[in-house]
Amino acid sequence: MENGVVFEVVLADGQTELVRGANGYVQEGPLTTFFTSPRSRAAIDSRSERVGSFRTADIRRVVRREIEEAGLRAVPDAVDDGYGHYVFGTGGQ
């Protein structure tokens, strides 16, 4: 099961790379390396596996983003009444 995080890495030449499946990253000498952990946390430990690396000097920005689950979600049929109450239906009234 993939975690709900993607890292967007913007490089010096303007290119953007997406790193999926990583929980965190750390600088290792001249490289910045992205890791995944079976414990689904950002800490890097002996059970972590490398997902990818970039030269640290080439990185301009790293942005961590949450990705939405692709699936069904409830959409209200009417507006909020001010108390957080919505009307949900089947669409065929």
Side-chain angles (χ1 to χ4, degrees):
M1 179 175 155
E2 184 176 321
N3 65 17
V5 176
V6 64
F7 288 93
E8 184 179 291
V9 182
V10 180
L11 302 173
D13 62 2
Q15 185 178 356
T16 300
E17 297 285 340
L18 296 179
V19 180
R20 297 186 197 299
N23 299 94
Y25 62 95
V26 67
Q27 185 176 351
E28 295 183 312
L31 299 176
T32 296
T33 303
F34 292 81
F35 289 90
T36 185
S37 172
R39 297 183 186 150
S40 297
R41 58 188 188 137
I44 310 298
D45 59 19
S46 62
R47 297 180 60 192
S48 299
E49 295 180 28
R50 288 176 174 83
V51 175
S53 295
F54 299 92
R55 281 193 45 200
T56 302
D58 293 342
I59 296 175
R60 291 298 169 254
R61 180 176 61 222
V62 176
V63 180
R64 181 183 188 272
R65 299 194 189 279
E66 300 288 329
I67 53 177
E68 291 185 24
E69 293 291 324
L72 299 177
R73 61 184 177 88
V75 177
D77 292 340
V79 297
D80 180 1
D81 65 0
Y83 294 99
H85 302 127
Y86 293 91
V87 176
F88 296 94
T90 60
Q93 298 174 343

Coordinates of all heavy atoms in Angstrom, one line a residue:
M1 N 0.8 -1.2 0.0 CA 0.0 0.0 0.0 C 0.9 1.2 0.0 O 1.7 1.4 0.8 CB -0.9 0.0 1.2 CG -1.8 1.1 1.3 SD -2.9 0.9 2.8 CE -3.2 2.5 3.2
E2 N 0.6 2.1 -0.9 CA 1.5 3.3 -1.0 C 1.0 4.4 0.0 O -0.2 4.5 0.2 CB 1.3 3.9 -2.5 CG 2.2 5.1 -2.7 CD 2.1 5.5 -4.2 OE1 2.0 4.7 -5.1 OE2 2.1 6.7 -4.4
N3 N 2.0 5.1 0.5 CA 1.6 6.2 1.4 C 1.0 7.3 0.7 O 1.1 7.4 -0.5 CB 2.7 6.6 2.3 CG 3.9 7.2 1.5 OD1 3.7 7.7 0.4 ND2 5.0 7.3 2.1
G4 N 0.3 8.2 1.4 CA -0.3 9.3 0.7 C 0.5 10.6 0.5 O 0.0 11.7 0.6
V5 N 1.8 10.4 0.3 CA 2.8 11.5 0.2 C 3.6 11.4 -1.1 O 3.9 10.3 -1.5 CB 3.8 11.5 1.4 CG1 4.8 12.6 1.3 CG2 3.0 11.6 2.7
V6 N 3.8 12.6 -1.7 CA 4.7 12.7 -2.8 C 5.6 13.9 -2.6 O 5.2 14.9 -2.0 CB 3.9 12.8 -4.2 CG1 3.1 14.1 -4.2 CG2 4.8 12.7 -5.4
F7 N 6.9 13.7 -2.9 CA 7.8 14.8 -2.8 C 8.1 15.4 -4.2 O 8.3 14.6 -5.1 CB 9.2 14.3 -2.2 CG 9.1 14.0 -0.8 CD1 8.8 12.7 -0.3 CD2 9.3 15.0 0.2 CE1 8.7 12.4 1.0 CE2 9.2 14.7 1.5 CZ 8.9 13.4 2.0
E8 N 7.9 16.7 -4.3 CA 8.2 17.4 -5.6 C 9.6 18.0 -5.4 O 9.8 18.9 -4.6 CB 7.1 18.4 -5.8 CG 7.2 19.2 -7.1 CD 6.1 20.2 -7.1 OE1 4.9 19.8 -7.3 OE2 6.4 21.4 -7.1
V9 N 10.5 17.6 -6.3 CA 11.9 18.1 -6.2 C 12.1 19.0 -7.4 O 12.0 18.5 -8.6 CB 12.9 16.9 -6.3 CG1 14.3 17.4 -6.2 CG2 12.6 15.9 -5.2
V10 N 12.4 20.3 -7.2 CA 12.7 21.2 -8.3 C 14.2 21.4 -8.4 O 14.8 21.7 -7.4 CB 12.0 22.6 -8.0 CG1 12.3 23.6 -9.1 CG2 10.5 22.4 -7.8
L11 N 14.7 21.1 -9.6 CA 16.1 21.1 -9.8 C 16.6 22.5 -10.3 O 15.7 23.3 -10.8 CB 16.5 20.0 -10.7 CG 16.1 18.6 -10.2 CD1 16.4 17.6 -11.3 CD2 16.9 18.3 -9.0
A12 N 17.9 22.7 -10.4 CA 18.4 24.0 -10.8 C 18.1 24.3 -12.2 O 17.9 25.5 -12.6 CB 19.9 24.0 -10.6
D13 N 17.9 23.3 -13.1 CA 17.6 23.6 -14.5 C 16.1 23.8 -14.7 O 15.7 23.9 -15.9 CB 18.1 22.5 -15.4 CG 17.5 21.1 -15.1 OD1 16.6 21.0 -14.2 OD2 17.9 20.1 -15.7
G14 N 15.3 23.8 -13.7 CA 13.9 24.1 -13.8 C 13.1 22.8 -13.9 O 11.8 22.8 -13.8
Q15 N 13.7 21.7 -14.0 CA 13.0 20.4 -14.1 C 12.4 20.0 -12.8 O 13.0 20.3 -11.7 CB 14.0 19.3 -14.6 CG 13.4 18.0 -14.9 CD 14.4 17.0 -15.4 OE1 15.6 17.3 -15.6 NE2 14.0 15.7 -15.5
T16 N 11.3 19.4 -12.8 CA 10.6 19.0 -11.6 C 10.5 17.4 -11.6 O 10.0 16.9 -12.6 CB 9.2 19.6 -11.5 OG1 9.3 21.0 -11.4 CG2 8.5 19.1 -10.2
E17 N 10.9 16.8 -10.6 CA 10.9 15.4 -10.4 C 9.9 15.0 -9.3 O 9.9 15.7 -8.2 CB 12.2 14.8 -10.1 CG 13.3 15.0 -11.2 CD 13.1 14.1 -12.4 OE1 12.4 13.0 -12.3 OE2 13.6 14.4 -13.5
L18 N 9.1 14.0 -9.4 CA 8.2 13.6 -8.4 C 8.8 12.3 -7.8 O 9.1 11.4 -8.5 CB 6.8 13.3 -8.9 CG 6.1 14.5 -9.4 CD1 4.7 14.1 -9.9 CD2 5.9 15.6 -8.3
V19 N 8.8 12.2 -6.5 CA 9.3 11.0 -5.8 C 8.1 10.5 -5.0 O 7.6 11.1 -4.1 CB 10.5 11.3 -4.8 CG1 10.9 10.1 -4.1 CG2 11.6 12.0 -5.5
R20 N 7.6 9.3 -5.4 CA 6.5 8.7 -4.8 C 7.0 7.5 -3.9 O 8.0 6.9 -4.2 CB 5.5 8.1 -5.8 CG 4.9 9.1 -6.7 CD 3.9 8.5 -7.6 NE 3.4 9.3 -8.8 CZ 2.8 10.4 -8.8 NH1 2.7 11.1 -7.7 NH2 2.5 11.0 -9.9
G21 N 6.3 7.2 -2.9 CA 6.6 6.1 -2.0 C 7.6 6.4 -0.9 O 8.0 5.5 -0.2
A22 N 8.1 7.6 -0.9 CA 9.1 7.9 0.2 C 8.4 8.5 1.4 O 7.4 9.1 1.3 CB 10.1 9.0 -0.4
N23 N 9.0 8.2 2.6 CA 8.5 8.7 3.8 C 9.3 10.0 4.3 O 8.8 10.8 5.0 CB 8.6 7.7 5.0 CG 7.8 6.5 4.7 OD1 8.3 5.5 4.1 ND2 6.5 6.5 5.0
G24 N 10.6 10.1 3.8 CA 11.4 11.2 4.2 C 12.7 11.2 3.4 O 12.9 10.4 2.5
Y25 N 13.5 12.2 3.7 CA 14.8 12.3 2.9 C 15.8 12.9 3.9 O 15.5 13.5 4.9 CB 14.6 13.2 1.7 CG 14.2 14.7 2.0 CD1 15.2 15.6 2.1 CD2 12.9 15.0 2.1 CE1 14.8 17.0 2.3 CE2 12.5 16.3 2.3 CZ 13.5 17.3 2.4 OH 13.1 18.6 2.7
V26 N 17.1 12.7 3.5 CA 18.2 13.1 4.3 C 19.4 13.4 3.4 O 19.5 12.8 2.3 CB 18.6 12.1 5.4 CG1 19.1 10.8 4.7 CG2 19.5 12.6 6.4
Q27 N 20.3 14.3 3.8 CA 21.5 14.6 3.0 C 22.5 13.6 3.4 O 22.8 13.3 4.5 CB 22.0 16.0 3.2 CG 23.2 16.3 2.4 CD 23.6 17.7 2.5 OE1 23.0 18.6 3.2 NE2 24.8 18.1 1.9
E28 N 23.1 12.9 2.4 CA 24.2 11.9 2.5 C 25.4 12.4 1.7 O 25.5 12.1 0.5 CB 23.8 10.5 2.0 CG 22.6 9.9 2.8 CD 22.3 8.5 2.3 OE1 22.2 8.3 1.1 OE2 22.3 7.6 3.2
G29 N 26.2 13.1 2.3 CA 27.4 13.7 1.6 C 26.9 14.6 0.5 O 26.1 15.5 0.7
P30 N 27.3 14.4 -0.8 CA 26.9 15.2 -1.9 C 25.5 14.9 -2.4 O 25.0 15.6 -3.3 CB 27.9 15.0 -3.0 CG 28.3 13.6 -2.7 CD 28.3 13.4 -1.2
L31 N 24.8 13.9 -1.9 CA 23.5 13.5 -2.4 C 22.4 13.8 -1.3 O 22.7 13.7 -0.1 CB 23.5 12.0 -2.7 CG 24.4 11.6 -3.8 CD1 24.3 10.1 -4.0 CD2 24.1 12.3 -5.1
T32 N 21.2 14.0 -1.8 CA 20.0 14.0 -1.0 C 19.2 12.8 -1.4 O 18.9 12.6 -2.5 CB 19.2 15.3 -1.2 OG1 20.0 16.4 -0.8 CG2 17.9 15.3 -0.4
T33 N 19.0 11.9 -0.4 CA 18.4 10.6 -0.7 C 17.1 10.5 0.0 O 16.9 10.9 1.1 CB 19.4 9.5 -0.2 OG1 20.6 9.6 -0.8 CG2 18.8 8.1 -0.5
F34 N 16.1 10.0 -0.8 CA 14.7 9.8 -0.3 C 14.6 8.3 0.1 O 15.1 7.4 -0.6 CB 13.7 10.1 -1.4 CG 13.7 11.6 -1.7 CD1 14.7 12.2 -2.5 CD2 12.7 12.4 -1.2 CE1 14.7 13.5 -2.8 CE2 12.7 13.7 -1.4 CZ 13.7 14.3 -2.2
F35 N 13.9 8.1 1.2 CA 13.8 6.7 1.8 C 12.3 6.4 2.1 O 11.5 7.3 2.2 CB 14.5 6.7 3.2 CG 16.0 6.7 3.1 CD1 16.6 8.0 3.2 CD2 16.7 5.6 3.1 CE1 18.0 8.0 3.1 CE2 18.1 5.6 3.0 CZ 18.7 6.8 3.1
T36 N 12.1 5.1 2.1 CA 10.8 4.6 2.5 C 11.0 3.7 3.7 O 12.1 3.0 3.8 CB 10.0 3.8 1.4 OG1 8.8 3.5 1.8 CG2 10.8 2.6 0.9
S37 N 10.1 3.7 4.6 CA 10.2 2.9 5.8 C 9.0 2.0 5.9 O 7.9 2.5 5.7 CB 10.4 3.8 7.0 OG 10.3 3.0 8.2
P38 N 9.1 0.7 6.3 CA 8.0 -0.1 6.5 C 7.1 0.3 7.7 O 5.9 -0.1 7.8 CB 8.5 -1.5 6.8 CG 9.9 -1.3 7.2 CD 10.4 0.0 6.6
R39 N 7.6 1.2 8.5 CA 6.9 1.7 9.6 C 6.0 2.9 9.3 O 5.4 3.5 10.1 CB 7.8 2.0 10.8 CG 8.5 0.8 11.3 CD 9.4 1.1 12.4 NE 10.1 -0.1 12.8 CZ 11.3 -0.1 13.3 NH1 11.9 1.1 13.6 NH2 12.0 -1.2 13.6
S40 N 6.1 3.4 8.0 CA 5.3 4.5 7.5 C 5.5 5.8 8.4 O 4.6 6.4 8.8 CB 3.8 4.2 7.5 OG 3.6 3.1 6.5
R41 N 6.8 6.1 8.6 CA 7.1 7.3 9.3 C 8.3 8.0 8.7 O 9.0 7.4 7.9 CB 7.3 7.0 10.8 CG 8.5 6.0 11.0 CD 8.6 5.6 12.5 NE 9.8 4.8 12.6 CZ 10.6 5.0 13.6 NH1 10.4 5.8 14.6 NH2 11.7 4.2 13.7
A42 N 8.5 9.2 9.0 CA 9.5 10.0 8.4 C 10.9 9.7 8.9 O 11.9 10.0 8.3 CB 9.3 11.5 8.6
A43 N 11.0 9.0 10.0 CA 12.4 8.6 10.6 C 13.1 7.6 9.7 O 12.5 6.7 9.2 CB 12.2 8.1 12.0
I44 N 14.4 7.9 9.6 CA 15.2 7.0 8.8 C 15.9 6.0 9.8 O 16.6 6.5 10.7 CB 16.3 7.8 8.0 CG1 15.7 8.9 7.2 CG2 17.1 6.8 7.1 CD1 14.7 8.5 6.2
D45 N 15.7 4.7 9.6 CA 16.4 3.7 10.5 C 16.9 2.6 9.6 O 17.0 2.6 8.4 CB 15.4 3.3 11.5 CG 14.1 2.6 10.9 OD1 14.2 2.2 9.8 OD2 13.2 2.5 11.7
S46 N 17.4 1.5 10.3 CA 18.0 0.4 9.6 C 17.1 -0.3 8.7 O 17.5 -1.1 7.8 CB 18.6 -0.5 10.6 OG 17.6 -1.1 11.5
R47 N 15.8 -0.2 8.9 CA 14.8 -0.9 8.0 C 14.4 -0.1 6.8 O 13.6 -0.5 6.0 CB 13.6 -1.3 8.8 CG 14.0 -2.3 9.9 CD 12.8 -2.7 10.8 NE 11.8 -3.3 9.9 CZ 10.6 -3.6 10.3 NH1 10.2 -3.3 11.5 NH2 9.7 -4.2 9.5
S48 N 14.9 1.1 6.7 CA 14.5 2.0 5.6 C 15.2 1.6 4.3 O 16.3 1.1 4.3 CB 14.9 3.5 5.9 OG 14.2 3.9 7.0
E49 N 14.6 1.8 3.2 CA 15.1 1.5 1.9 C 15.2 2.8 1.0 O 14.3 3.6 1.1 CB 14.3 0.5 1.1 CG 14.2 -0.8 1.8 CD 13.4 -1.8 1.0 OE1 13.3 -1.7 -0.2 OE2 12.8 -2.7 1.7
R50 N 16.3 2.9 0.2 CA 16.5 4.1 -0.6 C 15.5 4.0 -1.8 O 15.3 3.0 -2.4 CB 17.9 4.1 -1.2 CG 18.9 4.5 -0.1 CD 20.3 4.5 -0.7 NE 21.3 5.0 0.3 CZ 21.8 4.3 1.2 NH1 21.5 3.0 1.4 NH2 22.6 4.8 2.1
V51 N 14.8 5.1 -2.1 CA 13.9 5.2 -3.2 C 14.6 6.0 -4.4 O 14.4 5.6 -5.5 CB 12.6 6.0 -2.8 CG1 11.7 6.2 -4.0 CG2 11.9 5.2 -1.7
G52 N 15.4 7.0 -4.1 CA 16.1 7.8 -5.1 C 17.0 8.8 -4.5 O 16.8 9.1 -3.3
S53 N 17.9 9.3 -5.3 CA 18.9 10.3 -4.9 C 19.0 11.4 -5.9 O 18.9 11.1 -7.1 CB 20.2 9.7 -4.6 OG 20.1 8.8 -3.5
F54 N 19.4 12.6 -5.5 CA 19.7 13.7 -6.3 C 20.9 14.4 -5.8 O 21.1 14.4 -4.6 CB 18.5 14.7 -6.4 CG 17.2 14.1 -6.9 CD1 16.3 13.6 -6.0 CD2 17.0 14.2 -8.3 CE1 15.1 13.1 -6.5 CE2 15.8 13.6 -8.7 CZ 14.9 13.1 -7.9
R55 N 21.7 15.0 -6.7 CA 22.8 15.8 -6.2 C 22.2 17.0 -5.4 O 21.4 17.8 -5.9 CB 23.6 16.3 -7.4 CG 24.6 15.3 -7.9 CD 25.6 15.9 -8.9 NE 26.1 17.1 -8.3 CZ 26.7 18.1 -8.9 NH1 26.9 18.0 -10.2 NH2 27.2 19.1 -8.3
T56 N 22.7 17.2 -4.2 CA 22.2 18.3 -3.3 C 22.4 19.6 -4.0 O 21.5 20.5 -3.9 CB 22.8 18.2 -1.9 OG1 22.6 16.9 -1.4 CG2 22.3 19.3 -1.0
A57 N 23.5 19.9 -4.6 CA 23.8 21.1 -5.3 C 22.8 21.5 -6.4 O 22.7 22.6 -6.7 CB 25.3 21.1 -5.8
D58 N 22.2 20.4 -7.0 CA 21.2 20.7 -8.1 C 19.8 20.9 -7.6 O 18.9 21.3 -8.4 CB 21.2 19.5 -9.0 CG 22.5 19.3 -9.7 OD1 23.3 20.3 -9.8 OD2 22.8 18.2 -10.3
I59 N 19.5 20.7 -6.3 CA 18.2 20.9 -5.8 C 17.9 22.3 -5.4 O 18.7 22.9 -4.6 CB 18.0 20.0 -4.5 CG1 18.1 18.5 -5.0 CG2 16.6 20.2 -3.9 CD1 18.0 17.5 -3.8
R60 N 16.9 22.9 -5.9 CA 16.5 24.2 -5.5 C 15.3 24.2 -4.4 O 15.2 25.1 -3.6 CB 16.0 25.0 -6.7 CG 17.1 25.4 -7.7 CD 18.1 26.2 -7.0 NE 19.3 26.4 -7.8 CZ 20.5 25.8 -7.5 NH1 20.6 25.0 -6.5 NH2 21.5 25.9 -8.3
R61 N 14.5 23.2 -4.5 CA 13.3 23.2 -3.6 C 12.8 21.7 -3.5 O 12.8 21.0 -4.5 CB 12.2 24.1 -4.0 CG 11.0 24.2 -3.2 CD 10.0 25.2 -3.6 NE 9.5 24.8 -4.9 CZ 9.3 25.7 -5.9 NH1 9.6 27.0 -5.7 NH2 8.9 25.4 -7.1
V62 N 12.4 21.3 -2.3 CA 11.7 20.1 -2.1 C 10.4 20.4 -1.4 O 10.4 21.1 -0.3 CB 12.5 19.1 -1.2 CG1 11.7 17.8 -0.9 CG2 13.8 18.8 -1.8
V63 N 9.3 20.0 -2.0 CA 8.0 20.2 -1.4 C 7.3 18.9 -1.2 O 7.2 18.0 -2.0 CB 7.1 21.0 -2.4 CG1 5.7 21.3 -1.8 CG2 7.8 22.3 -2.8
R64 N 6.8 18.7 0.1 CA 6.1 17.5 0.5 C 4.6 17.8 0.3 O 4.1 18.7 0.8 CB 6.4 17.2 1.9 CG 5.8 15.9 2.4 CD 6.1 15.7 3.9 NE 5.6 14.5 4.4 CZ 4.4 14.3 4.9 NH1 3.5 15.2 5.0 NH2 4.1 13.1 5.4
R65 N 3.9 16.9 -0.5 CA 2.5 17.1 -0.7 C 1.7 15.8 -0.3 O 2.2 14.7 -0.5 CB 2.2 17.4 -2.2 CG 2.9 18.7 -2.7 CD 2.3 19.1 -4.0 NE 3.1 20.1 -4.6 CZ 3.0 21.4 -4.3 NH1 2.1 21.8 -3.4 NH2 3.7 22.3 -4.9
E66 N 0.6 16.1 0.2 CA -0.3 14.9 0.5 C -1.1 14.7 -0.8 O -1.6 15.7 -1.4 CB -1.3 15.3 1.6 CG -0.6 15.6 2.9 CD -0.1 14.4 3.6 OE1 -0.6 13.3 3.4 OE2 1.0 14.5 4.3
I67 N -1.3 13.5 -1.2 CA -2.1 13.2 -2.4 C -3.4 12.6 -1.9 O -3.5 11.9 -0.9 CB -1.4 12.2 -3.3 CG1 -0.9 10.9 -2.6 CG2 -0.2 12.9 -4.0 CD1 -0.3 9.9 -3.6
E68 N -4.5 13.0 -2.6 CA -5.8 12.6 -2.3 C -6.0 11.2 -2.7 O -5.5 10.7 -3.8 CB -6.9 13.5 -2.9 CG -6.9 14.9 -2.4 CD -8.0 15.7 -3.0 OE1 -9.0 15.1 -3.4 OE2 -7.9 16.9 -3.0
E69 N -6.8 10.5 -1.9 CA -7.2 9.1 -2.3 C -8.2 9.2 -3.5 O -9.1 10.0 -3.5 CB -7.9 8.4 -1.2 CG -7.0 8.1 0.0 CD -6.0 7.0 -0.3 OE1 -6.4 6.1 -1.1 OE2 -4.9 7.1 0.2
A70 N -7.9 8.4 -4.5 CA -8.8 8.4 -5.7 C -9.9 7.4 -5.3 O -9.7 6.2 -5.2 CB -8.1 8.0 -6.9
G71 N -11.1 7.9 -5.2 CA -12.2 7.1 -4.8 C -13.5 7.9 -4.7 O -13.6 9.0 -5.1
L72 N -14.5 7.2 -4.2 CA -15.8 7.9 -4.0 C -15.8 8.8 -2.8 O -15.2 8.5 -1.8 CB -16.9 6.8 -3.9 CG -17.0 5.9 -5.1 CD1 -18.1 4.8 -4.8 CD2 -17.4 6.6 -6.3
R73 N -16.5 9.9 -2.9 CA -16.7 10.7 -1.8 C -18.1 11.3 -1.8 O -18.7 11.4 -2.9 CB -15.7 11.9 -1.7 CG -15.7 12.8 -2.9 CD -14.6 13.8 -2.8 NE -14.6 14.7 -4.0 CZ -15.3 15.8 -4.1 NH1 -16.0 16.2 -3.1 NH2 -15.2 16.5 -5.2
A74 N -18.6 11.6 -0.7 CA -20.0 12.1 -0.6 C -20.0 13.6 -1.0 O -19.2 14.4 -0.5 CB -20.5 11.9 0.8
V75 N -21.0 13.9 -1.8 CA -21.2 15.3 -2.2 C -22.6 15.7 -1.8 O -23.5 15.1 -2.2 CB -21.0 15.5 -3.8 CG1 -21.3 16.9 -4.2 CG2 -19.6 15.0 -4.2
P76 N -22.7 16.8 -1.0 CA -24.0 17.2 -0.6 C -24.9 17.7 -1.7 O -24.5 18.3 -2.6 CB -23.7 18.3 0.4 CG -22.3 18.8 0.1 CD -21.6 17.7 -0.6
D77 N -26.2 17.4 -1.5 CA -27.2 17.9 -2.5 C -27.7 19.3 -2.2 O -28.3 20.0 -3.0 CB -28.5 17.0 -2.4 CG -28.2 15.6 -2.9 OD1 -27.2 15.4 -3.7 OD2 -29.0 14.7 -2.6
A78 N -27.4 19.8 -0.9 CA -27.9 21.1 -0.5 C -26.7 21.8 0.2 O -25.7 21.1 0.6 CB -29.1 21.0 0.3
V79 N -26.8 23.1 0.4 CA -25.8 23.8 1.1 C -25.9 23.6 2.6 O -26.9 23.2 3.1 CB -25.9 25.4 0.8 CG1 -25.7 25.6 -0.7 CG2 -27.2 25.9 1.3
D80 N -24.8 23.9 3.3 CA -24.7 23.8 4.7 C -25.7 24.8 5.3 O -25.9 25.9 4.9 CB -23.3 24.2 5.1 CG -23.0 24.2 6.6 OD1 -23.9 23.8 7.4 OD2 -21.9 24.5 7.0
D81 N -26.4 24.3 6.4 CA -27.4 25.2 7.0 C -26.9 26.1 8.1 O -27.6 26.7 8.8 CB -28.6 24.3 7.6 CG -28.1 23.4 8.7 OD1 -26.9 23.4 9.1 OD2 -28.9 22.7 9.2
G82 N -25.5 26.1 8.2 CA -24.9 27.0 9.2 C -24.5 26.2 10.4 O -23.8 26.7 11.3
Y83 N -25.0 25.0 10.6 CA -24.7 24.2 11.7 C -23.9 22.9 11.3 O -23.8 22.0 12.1 CB -26.0 23.7 12.4 CG -26.7 24.9 13.1 CD1 -27.8 25.5 12.4 CD2 -26.3 25.4 14.3 CE1 -28.5 26.5 12.9 CE2 -27.0 26.5 14.8 CZ -28.1 27.1 14.1 OH -28.7 28.1 14.7
G84 N -23.4 22.9 10.1 CA -22.6 21.7 9.7 C -23.5 20.6 9.2 O -23.0 19.5 9.0
H85 N -24.8 20.9 8.9 CA -25.7 19.8 8.5 C -25.8 19.9 7.0 O -26.1 21.0 6.4 CB -27.1 20.0 9.1 CG -27.0 19.9 10.6 ND1 -27.6 20.9 11.4 CD2 -26.4 19.0 11.5 CE1 -27.3 20.6 12.7 NE2 -26.7 19.4 12.7
Y86 N -25.7 18.8 6.3 CA -25.8 18.7 4.8 C -26.9 17.7 4.5 O -27.2 16.8 5.3 CB -24.5 18.3 4.2 CG -23.4 19.3 4.3 CD1 -22.5 19.3 5.3 CD2 -23.3 20.3 3.3 CE1 -21.5 20.2 5.4 CE2 -22.2 21.2 3.4 CZ -21.3 21.1 4.4 OH -20.3 22.0 4.5
V87 N -27.5 17.9 3.3 CA -28.5 16.9 2.9 C -27.8 16.0 1.8 O -27.3 16.5 0.8 CB -29.7 17.6 2.3 CG1 -30.7 16.6 1.7 CG2 -30.4 18.5 3.3
F88 N -27.8 14.7 2.0 CA -27.3 13.8 1.1 C -28.4 12.9 0.5 O -29.3 12.5 1.2 CB -26.2 12.9 1.7 CG -25.0 13.6 2.2 CD1 -24.9 14.1 3.5 CD2 -24.0 13.9 1.3 CE1 -23.8 14.8 4.0 CE2 -22.8 14.6 1.8 CZ -22.8 15.0 3.1
G89 N -28.3 12.7 -0.8 CA -29.4 11.9 -1.4 C -28.8 11.0 -2.5 O -27.6 10.9 -2.6
T90 N -29.6 10.4 -3.3 CA -29.2 9.5 -4.3 C -29.1 10.3 -5.7 O -28.7 9.7 -6.6 CB -30.1 8.4 -4.5 OG1 -31.4 8.9 -4.8 CG2 -30.2 7.5 -3.2
G91 N -29.5 11.5 -5.7 CA -29.4 12.3 -6.9 C -30.7 12.3 -7.7 O -30.9 13.2 -8.5
G92 N -31.5 11.3 -7.6 CA -32.8 11.2 -8.3 C -33.9 11.6 -7.4 O -34.5 10.7 -6.7
Q93 N -34.3 12.8 -7.3 CA -35.3 13.3 -6.3 C -36.7 13.3 -6.9 O -37.0 13.5 -8.0 CB -35.0 14.7 -5.8 CG -33.7 14.6 -5.1 CD -33.2 16.0 -4.7 OE1 -33.7 17.0 -5.2 NE2 -32.3 16.1 -3.8

